[in-house]
Amino acid sequence: ASERLAGWMDELGPAGAEVAFVFQEHPPDHGSPAIRRVLTSAERPTAMLCYSDAIALLVVREAAALGLRLSEDLSVVGFDSSPLMQHLGIALTTVHQDIAGKGRVAAATLIDAVEASRSGNHRPDRPPHVVLPAELVVRASTGPPPPL
């Protein structure tokens, strides 16, 4: 999560974007008061970047309940490329991760650790740091910012 935030800030800061943070620990079942407060504030954002597609879904639902038009009044970006969004009929812009690739790296790291332990060849307590590629998948939930 911290790397996601750092990546966003690396791009948004130099672009001159005003950034604010809203923390939602776990997506609740029915809406989010924090998201509603942001979307009804005097300085409503033109876009929301979410740590997951599940949180993006909450933003999309709150925006719809407030009569905001997705991609026109508010752009929403998720993270995870969850197939659930397509089943719900939401064309969410998202960051796609290679989940199978993450699984392969995790399994290989675990196997290496088990083999090292069995052979007495202990490795450092920390596994190697691996960065896997991610891809922005642009769909209908984003658009240019509305005029001021």
PDB file of all heavy atoms in Angstrom, residues 17-47:
ATOM      1  N   ALA A  17      -1.357  18.428  -8.946  1.00  0.00           N
ATOM      2  CA  ALA A  17      -2.631  18.001  -8.370  1.00  0.00           C
ATOM      3  C   ALA A  17      -2.665  18.282  -6.872  1.00  0.00           C
ATOM      4  O   ALA A  17      -1.662  18.122  -6.179  1.00  0.00           O
ATOM      5  CB  ALA A  17      -2.839  16.511  -8.615  1.00  0.00           C
ATOM      6  N   GLU A  18      -3.815  18.742  -6.394  1.00  0.00           N
ATOM      7  CA  GLU A  18      -4.011  18.902  -4.956  1.00  0.00           C
ATOM      8  C   GLU A  18      -4.493  17.557  -4.428  1.00  0.00           C
ATOM      9  O   GLU A  18      -5.498  17.037  -4.887  1.00  0.00           O
ATOM     10  CB  GLU A  18      -5.043  19.985  -4.680  1.00  0.00           C
ATOM     11  CG  GLU A  18      -4.575  21.369  -5.086  1.00  0.00           C
ATOM     12  CD  GLU A  18      -5.619  22.427  -4.790  1.00  0.00           C
ATOM     13  OE1 GLU A  18      -6.404  22.247  -3.838  1.00  0.00           O
ATOM     14  OE2 GLU A  18      -5.639  23.419  -5.521  1.00  0.00           O
ATOM     15  N   VAL A  19      -3.777  17.013  -3.480  1.00  0.00           N
ATOM     16  CA  VAL A  19      -4.060  15.665  -3.003  1.00  0.00           C
ATOM     17  C   VAL A  19      -4.545  15.720  -1.556  1.00  0.00           C
ATOM     18  O   VAL A  19      -3.963  16.410  -0.719  1.00  0.00           O
ATOM     19  CB  VAL A  19      -2.799  14.782  -3.099  1.00  0.00           C
ATOM     20  CG1 VAL A  19      -3.075  13.389  -2.571  1.00  0.00           C
ATOM     21  CG2 VAL A  19      -2.293  14.736  -4.535  1.00  0.00           C
ATOM     22  N   ALA A  20      -5.609  14.995  -1.288  1.00  0.00           N
ATOM     23  CA  ALA A  20      -6.126  14.824   0.073  1.00  0.00           C
ATOM     24  C   ALA A  20      -6.340  13.336   0.290  1.00  0.00           C
ATOM     25  O   ALA A  20      -6.548  12.587  -0.661  1.00  0.00           O
ATOM     26  CB  ALA A  20      -7.434  15.583   0.246  1.00  0.00           C
ATOM     27  N   PHE A  21      -6.291  12.906   1.522  1.00  0.00           N
ATOM     28  CA  PHE A  21      -6.417  11.485   1.834  1.00  0.00           C
ATOM     29  C   PHE A  21      -7.644  11.233   2.686  1.00  0.00           C
ATOM     30  O   PHE A  21      -7.937  11.980   3.609  1.00  0.00           O
ATOM     31  CB  PHE A  21      -5.176  10.982   2.581  1.00  0.00           C
ATOM     32  CG  PHE A  21      -3.915  11.157   1.797  1.00  0.00           C
ATOM     33  CD1 PHE A  21      -3.117  12.267   1.988  1.00  0.00           C
ATOM     34  CD2 PHE A  21      -3.550  10.229   0.848  1.00  0.00           C
ATOM     35  CE1 PHE A  21      -1.956  12.441   1.248  1.00  0.00           C
ATOM     36  CE2 PHE A  21      -2.400  10.394   0.098  1.00  0.00           C
ATOM     37  CZ  PHE A  21      -1.606  11.505   0.306  1.00  0.00           C
ATOM     38  N   VAL A  22      -8.349  10.166   2.354  1.00  0.00           N
ATOM     39  CA  VAL A  22      -9.470   9.695   3.153  1.00  0.00           C
ATOM     40  C   VAL A  22      -9.189   8.237   3.436  1.00  0.00           C
ATOM     41  O   VAL A  22      -8.940   7.453   2.511  1.00  0.00           O
ATOM     42  CB  VAL A  22     -10.808   9.814   2.392  1.00  0.00           C
ATOM     43  CG1 VAL A  22     -11.948   9.265   3.227  1.00  0.00           C
ATOM     44  CG2 VAL A  22     -11.062  11.245   1.990  1.00  0.00           C
ATOM     45  N   PHE A  23      -9.191   7.853   4.684  1.00  0.00           N
ATOM     46  CA  PHE A  23      -8.882   6.475   5.028  1.00  0.00           C
ATOM     47  C   PHE A  23     -10.154   5.712   5.340  1.00  0.00           C
ATOM     48  O   PHE A  23     -10.989   6.156   6.110  1.00  0.00           O
ATOM     49  CB  PHE A  23      -7.919   6.423   6.217  1.00  0.00           C
ATOM     50  CG  PHE A  23      -6.571   6.981   5.867  1.00  0.00           C
ATOM     51  CD1 PHE A  23      -6.253   8.288   6.172  1.00  0.00           C
ATOM     52  CD2 PHE A  23      -5.642   6.207   5.203  1.00  0.00           C
ATOM     53  CE1 PHE A  23      -5.019   8.812   5.827  1.00  0.00           C
ATOM     54  CE2 PHE A  23      -4.409   6.710   4.849  1.00  0.00           C
ATOM     55  CZ  PHE A  23      -4.098   8.026   5.163  1.00  0.00           C
ATOM     56  N   GLN A  24     -10.282   4.566   4.708  1.00  0.00           N
ATOM     57  CA  GLN A  24     -11.413   3.662   4.902  1.00  0.00           C
ATOM     58  C   GLN A  24     -10.801   2.315   5.253  1.00  0.00           C
ATOM     59  O   GLN A  24     -10.284   1.633   4.381  1.00  0.00           O
ATOM     60  CB  GLN A  24     -12.240   3.575   3.611  1.00  0.00           C
ATOM     61  CG  GLN A  24     -13.389   2.613   3.676  1.00  0.00           C
ATOM     62  CD  GLN A  24     -14.481   3.099   4.596  1.00  0.00           C
ATOM     63  OE1 GLN A  24     -14.957   4.210   4.459  1.00  0.00           O
ATOM     64  NE2 GLN A  24     -14.878   2.279   5.530  1.00  0.00           N
ATOM     65  N   GLU A  25     -10.805   1.969   6.530  1.00  0.00           N
ATOM     66  CA  GLU A  25     -10.146   0.743   6.976  1.00  0.00           C
ATOM     67  C   GLU A  25     -10.610  -0.488   6.210  1.00  0.00           C
ATOM     68  O   GLU A  25      -9.854  -1.153   5.566  1.00  0.00           O
ATOM     69  CB  GLU A  25     -10.370   0.526   8.473  1.00  0.00           C
ATOM     70  CG  GLU A  25      -9.611   1.507   9.337  1.00  0.00           C
ATOM     71  CD  GLU A  25      -8.128   1.241   9.350  1.00  0.00           C
ATOM     72  OE1 GLU A  25      -7.701   0.074   9.240  1.00  0.00           O
ATOM     73  OE2 GLU A  25      -7.376   2.214   9.476  1.00  0.00           O
ATOM     74  N   HIS A  26     -11.870  -0.780   6.314  1.00  0.00           N
ATOM     75  CA  HIS A  26     -12.441  -1.937   5.623  1.00  0.00           C
ATOM     76  C   HIS A  26     -13.736  -1.483   4.983  1.00  0.00           C
ATOM     77  O   HIS A  26     -14.524  -0.797   5.618  1.00  0.00           O
ATOM     78  CB  HIS A  26     -12.731  -3.079   6.606  1.00  0.00           C
ATOM     79  CG  HIS A  26     -11.510  -3.566   7.308  1.00  0.00           C
ATOM     80  ND1 HIS A  26     -10.563  -4.344   6.698  1.00  0.00           N
ATOM     81  CD2 HIS A  26     -11.060  -3.347   8.570  1.00  0.00           C
ATOM     82  CE1 HIS A  26      -9.594  -4.602   7.550  1.00  0.00           C
ATOM     83  NE2 HIS A  26      -9.868  -4.002   8.685  1.00  0.00           N
ATOM     84  N   PRO A  27     -13.957  -1.861   3.741  1.00  0.00           N
ATOM     85  CA  PRO A  27     -15.205  -1.420   3.114  1.00  0.00           C
ATOM     86  C   PRO A  27     -16.422  -1.911   3.897  1.00  0.00           C
ATOM     87  O   PRO A  27     -16.566  -3.100   4.129  1.00  0.00           O
ATOM     88  CB  PRO A  27     -15.158  -2.079   1.732  1.00  0.00           C
ATOM     89  CG  PRO A  27     -13.718  -2.334   1.472  1.00  0.00           C
ATOM     90  CD  PRO A  27     -13.116  -2.616   2.833  1.00  0.00           C
ATOM     91  N   PRO A  28     -17.273  -0.988   4.343  1.00  0.00           N
ATOM     92  CA  PRO A  28     -18.490  -1.412   5.042  1.00  0.00           C
ATOM     93  C   PRO A  28     -19.497  -1.964   4.048  1.00  0.00           C
ATOM     94  O   PRO A  28     -19.360  -1.790   2.845  1.00  0.00           O
ATOM     95  CB  PRO A  28     -18.996  -0.107   5.673  1.00  0.00           C
ATOM     96  CG  PRO A  28     -18.445   0.970   4.803  1.00  0.00           C
ATOM     97  CD  PRO A  28     -17.144   0.462   4.264  1.00  0.00           C
ATOM     98  N   ASP A  29     -20.509  -2.635   4.568  1.00  0.00           N
ATOM     99  CA  ASP A  29     -21.509  -3.246   3.710  1.00  0.00           C
ATOM    100  C   ASP A  29     -22.417  -2.215   3.031  1.00  0.00           C
ATOM    101  O   ASP A  29     -22.880  -2.421   1.923  1.00  0.00           O
ATOM    102  CB  ASP A  29     -22.373  -4.224   4.502  1.00  0.00           C
ATOM    103  CG  ASP A  29     -21.587  -5.442   4.942  1.00  0.00           C
ATOM    104  OD1 ASP A  29     -20.611  -5.796   4.257  1.00  0.00           O
ATOM    105  OD2 ASP A  29     -21.940  -6.028   5.978  1.00  0.00           O
ATOM    106  N   HIS A  30     -22.688  -1.124   3.712  1.00  0.00           N
ATOM    107  CA  HIS A  30     -23.661  -0.155   3.184  1.00  0.00           C
ATOM    108  C   HIS A  30     -23.103   1.257   3.258  1.00  0.00           C
ATOM    109  O   HIS A  30     -23.330   1.963   4.226  1.00  0.00           O
ATOM    110  CB  HIS A  30     -24.975  -0.235   3.966  1.00  0.00           C
ATOM    111  CG  HIS A  30     -25.578  -1.597   3.944  1.00  0.00           C
ATOM    112  ND1 HIS A  30     -26.117  -2.141   2.802  1.00  0.00           N
ATOM    113  CD2 HIS A  30     -25.691  -2.537   4.896  1.00  0.00           C
ATOM    114  CE1 HIS A  30     -26.560  -3.355   3.066  1.00  0.00           C
ATOM    115  NE2 HIS A  30     -26.309  -3.625   4.329  1.00  0.00           N
ATOM    116  N   GLY A  31     -22.400   1.662   2.230  1.00  0.00           N
ATOM    117  CA  GLY A  31     -21.949   3.041   2.140  1.00  0.00           C
ATOM    118  C   GLY A  31     -20.819   3.379   3.086  1.00  0.00           C
ATOM    119  O   GLY A  31     -20.360   2.559   3.867  1.00  0.00           O
ATOM    120  N   SER A  32     -20.397   4.600   2.990  1.00  0.00           N
ATOM    121  CA  SER A  32     -19.300   5.052   3.814  1.00  0.00           C
ATOM    122  C   SER A  32     -19.496   6.519   4.163  1.00  0.00           C
ATOM    123  O   SER A  32     -19.495   7.373   3.277  1.00  0.00           O
ATOM    124  CB  SER A  32     -17.983   4.885   3.070  1.00  0.00           C
ATOM    125  OG  SER A  32     -16.967   5.605   3.720  1.00  0.00           O
ATOM    126  N   PRO A  33     -19.641   6.822   5.444  1.00  0.00           N
ATOM    127  CA  PRO A  33     -19.782   8.228   5.837  1.00  0.00           C
ATOM    128  C   PRO A  33     -18.560   9.063   5.421  1.00  0.00           C
ATOM    129  O   PRO A  33     -18.718  10.215   5.023  1.00  0.00           O
ATOM    130  CB  PRO A  33     -19.909   8.161   7.357  1.00  0.00           C
ATOM    131  CG  PRO A  33     -20.363   6.770   7.657  1.00  0.00           C
ATOM    132  CD  PRO A  33     -19.788   5.911   6.577  1.00  0.00           C
ATOM    133  N   ALA A  34     -17.371   8.501   5.479  1.00  0.00           N
ATOM    134  CA  ALA A  34     -16.170   9.258   5.107  1.00  0.00           C
ATOM    135  C   ALA A  34     -16.203   9.621   3.629  1.00  0.00           C
ATOM    136  O   ALA A  34     -15.905  10.762   3.247  1.00  0.00           O
ATOM    137  CB  ALA A  34     -14.917   8.450   5.433  1.00  0.00           C
ATOM    138  N   ILE A  35     -16.578   8.686   2.789  1.00  0.00           N
ATOM    139  CA  ILE A  35     -16.646   8.956   1.354  1.00  0.00           C
ATOM    140  C   ILE A  35     -17.745   9.976   1.063  1.00  0.00           C
ATOM    141  O   ILE A  35     -17.558  10.903   0.282  1.00  0.00           O
ATOM    142  CB  ILE A  35     -16.866   7.650   0.556  1.00  0.00           C
ATOM    143  CG1 ILE A  35     -15.616   6.764   0.671  1.00  0.00           C
ATOM    144  CG2 ILE A  35     -17.199   7.947  -0.905  1.00  0.00           C
ATOM    145  CD1 ILE A  35     -15.787   5.364   0.138  1.00  0.00           C
ATOM    146  N   ARG A  36     -18.880   9.830   1.723  1.00  0.00           N
ATOM    147  CA  ARG A  36     -19.983  10.781   1.517  1.00  0.00           C
ATOM    148  C   ARG A  36     -19.558  12.189   1.929  1.00  0.00           C
ATOM    149  O   ARG A  36     -19.865  13.164   1.233  1.00  0.00           O
ATOM    150  CB  ARG A  36     -21.227  10.348   2.293  1.00  0.00           C
ATOM    151  CG  ARG A  36     -22.416  11.280   2.056  1.00  0.00           C
ATOM    152  CD  ARG A  36     -23.690  10.685   2.611  1.00  0.00           C
ATOM    153  NE  ARG A  36     -24.194   9.650   1.746  1.00  0.00           N
ATOM    154  CZ  ARG A  36     -25.076   9.850   0.766  1.00  0.00           C
ATOM    155  NH1 ARG A  36     -25.537  11.061   0.544  1.00  0.00           N
ATOM    156  NH2 ARG A  36     -25.493   8.866   0.021  1.00  0.00           N
ATOM    157  N   ARG A  37     -18.837  12.306   3.045  1.00  0.00           N
ATOM    158  CA  ARG A  37     -18.361  13.634   3.483  1.00  0.00           C
ATOM    159  C   ARG A  37     -17.467  14.267   2.415  1.00  0.00           C
ATOM    160  O   ARG A  37     -17.578  15.454   2.121  1.00  0.00           O
ATOM    161  CB  ARG A  37     -17.603  13.526   4.809  1.00  0.00           C
ATOM    162  CG  ARG A  37     -18.483  13.553   6.032  1.00  0.00           C
ATOM    163  CD  ARG A  37     -17.692  13.758   7.307  1.00  0.00           C
ATOM    164  NE  ARG A  37     -16.644  12.761   7.505  1.00  0.00           N
ATOM    165  CZ  ARG A  37     -16.824  11.571   8.058  1.00  0.00           C
ATOM    166  NH1 ARG A  37     -18.022  11.209   8.477  1.00  0.00           N
ATOM    167  NH2 ARG A  37     -15.823  10.739   8.207  1.00  0.00           N
ATOM    168  N   VAL A  38     -16.586  13.477   1.847  1.00  0.00           N
ATOM    169  CA  VAL A  38     -15.692  14.007   0.815  1.00  0.00           C
ATOM    170  C   VAL A  38     -16.489  14.440  -0.406  1.00  0.00           C
ATOM    171  O   VAL A  38     -16.255  15.518  -0.966  1.00  0.00           O
ATOM    172  CB  VAL A  38     -14.622  12.960   0.422  1.00  0.00           C
ATOM    173  CG1 VAL A  38     -13.853  13.395  -0.807  1.00  0.00           C
ATOM    174  CG2 VAL A  38     -13.667  12.717   1.574  1.00  0.00           C
ATOM    175  N   LEU A  39     -17.427  13.623  -0.830  1.00  0.00           N
ATOM    176  CA  LEU A  39     -18.185  13.918  -2.049  1.00  0.00           C
ATOM    177  C   LEU A  39     -19.199  15.050  -1.878  1.00  0.00           C
ATOM    178  O   LEU A  39     -19.684  15.589  -2.866  1.00  0.00           O
ATOM    179  CB  LEU A  39     -18.885  12.655  -2.560  1.00  0.00           C
ATOM    180  CG  LEU A  39     -17.960  11.545  -3.052  1.00  0.00           C
ATOM    181  CD1 LEU A  39     -18.765  10.337  -3.494  1.00  0.00           C
ATOM    182  CD2 LEU A  39     -17.055  12.038  -4.177  1.00  0.00           C
ATOM    183  N   THR A  40     -19.525  15.408  -0.635  1.00  0.00           N
ATOM    184  CA  THR A  40     -20.453  16.508  -0.397  1.00  0.00           C
ATOM    185  C   THR A  40     -19.746  17.748   0.136  1.00  0.00           C
ATOM    186  O   THR A  40     -20.401  18.743   0.443  1.00  0.00           O
ATOM    187  CB  THR A  40     -21.572  16.089   0.585  1.00  0.00           C
ATOM    188  OG1 THR A  40     -20.979  15.653   1.810  1.00  0.00           O
ATOM    189  CG2 THR A  40     -22.447  15.005  -0.010  1.00  0.00           C
ATOM    190  N   SER A  41     -18.432  17.703   0.233  1.00  0.00           N
ATOM    191  CA  SER A  41     -17.696  18.852   0.752  1.00  0.00           C
ATOM    192  C   SER A  41     -17.689  19.995  -0.251  1.00  0.00           C
ATOM    193  O   SER A  41     -17.914  19.795  -1.454  1.00  0.00           O
ATOM    194  CB  SER A  41     -16.257  18.452   1.103  1.00  0.00           C
ATOM    195  OG  SER A  41     -15.525  18.209  -0.081  1.00  0.00           O
ATOM    196  N   ALA A  42     -17.446  21.197   0.243  1.00  0.00           N
ATOM    197  CA  ALA A  42     -17.395  22.374  -0.630  1.00  0.00           C
ATOM    198  C   ALA A  42     -16.284  22.247  -1.669  1.00  0.00           C
ATOM    199  O   ALA A  42     -16.407  22.773  -2.776  1.00  0.00           O
ATOM    200  CB  ALA A  42     -17.196  23.629   0.215  1.00  0.00           C
ATOM    201  N   GLU A  43     -15.230  21.553  -1.312  1.00  0.00           N
ATOM    202  CA  GLU A  43     -14.116  21.350  -2.243  1.00  0.00           C
ATOM    203  C   GLU A  43     -14.082  19.893  -2.707  1.00  0.00           C
ATOM    204  O   GLU A  43     -13.091  19.189  -2.545  1.00  0.00           O
ATOM    205  CB  GLU A  43     -12.801  21.749  -1.590  1.00  0.00           C
ATOM    206  CG  GLU A  43     -12.748  23.231  -1.278  1.00  0.00           C
ATOM    207  CD  GLU A  43     -11.396  23.662  -0.750  1.00  0.00           C
ATOM    208  OE1 GLU A  43     -10.410  22.908  -0.897  1.00  0.00           O
ATOM    209  OE2 GLU A  43     -11.332  24.766  -0.194  1.00  0.00           O
ATOM    210  N   ARG A  44     -15.195  19.462  -3.300  1.00  0.00           N
ATOM    211  CA  ARG A  44     -15.308  18.080  -3.775  1.00  0.00           C
ATOM    212  C   ARG A  44     -14.220  17.787  -4.795  1.00  0.00           C
ATOM    213  O   ARG A  44     -13.954  18.589  -5.685  1.00  0.00           O
ATOM    214  CB  ARG A  44     -16.690  17.850  -4.387  1.00  0.00           C
ATOM    215  CG  ARG A  44     -16.893  16.432  -4.896  1.00  0.00           C
ATOM    216  CD  ARG A  44     -18.277  16.207  -5.465  1.00  0.00           C
ATOM    217  NE  ARG A  44     -18.700  17.181  -6.442  1.00  0.00           N
ATOM    218  CZ  ARG A  44     -18.323  17.155  -7.725  1.00  0.00           C
ATOM    219  NH1 ARG A  44     -17.507  16.230  -8.177  1.00  0.00           N
ATOM    220  NH2 ARG A  44     -18.763  18.076  -8.556  1.00  0.00           N
ATOM    221  N   PRO A  45     -13.598  16.626  -4.675  1.00  0.00           N
ATOM    222  CA  PRO A  45     -12.551  16.287  -5.644  1.00  0.00           C
ATOM    223  C   PRO A  45     -13.133  16.003  -7.027  1.00  0.00           C
ATOM    224  O   PRO A  45     -14.310  15.677  -7.156  1.00  0.00           O
ATOM    225  CB  PRO A  45     -11.928  15.011  -5.053  1.00  0.00           C
ATOM    226  CG  PRO A  45     -13.017  14.407  -4.239  1.00  0.00           C
ATOM    227  CD  PRO A  45     -13.810  15.568  -3.697  1.00  0.00           C
ATOM    228  N   THR A  46     -12.275  16.123  -8.025  1.00  0.00           N
ATOM    229  CA  THR A  46     -12.686  15.769  -9.389  1.00  0.00           C
ATOM    230  C   THR A  46     -12.335  14.323  -9.692  1.00  0.00           C
ATOM    231  O   THR A  46     -12.809  13.763 -10.670  1.00  0.00           O
ATOM    232  CB  THR A  46     -12.014  16.681 -10.429  1.00  0.00           C
ATOM    233  OG1 THR A  46     -10.597  16.548 -10.310  1.00  0.00           O
ATOM    234  CG2 THR A  46     -12.431  18.126 -10.218  1.00  0.00           C
ATOM    235  N   ALA A  47     -11.492  13.732  -8.833  1.00  0.00           N
ATOM    236  CA  ALA A  47     -11.093  12.331  -9.025  1.00  0.00           C
ATOM    237  C   ALA A  47     -10.769  11.708  -7.683  1.00  0.00           C
ATOM    238  O   ALA A  47     -10.338  12.390  -6.755  1.00  0.00           O
ATOM    239  CB  ALA A  47      -9.875  12.248  -9.940  1.00  0.00           C
TER     240      ALA A  47
END
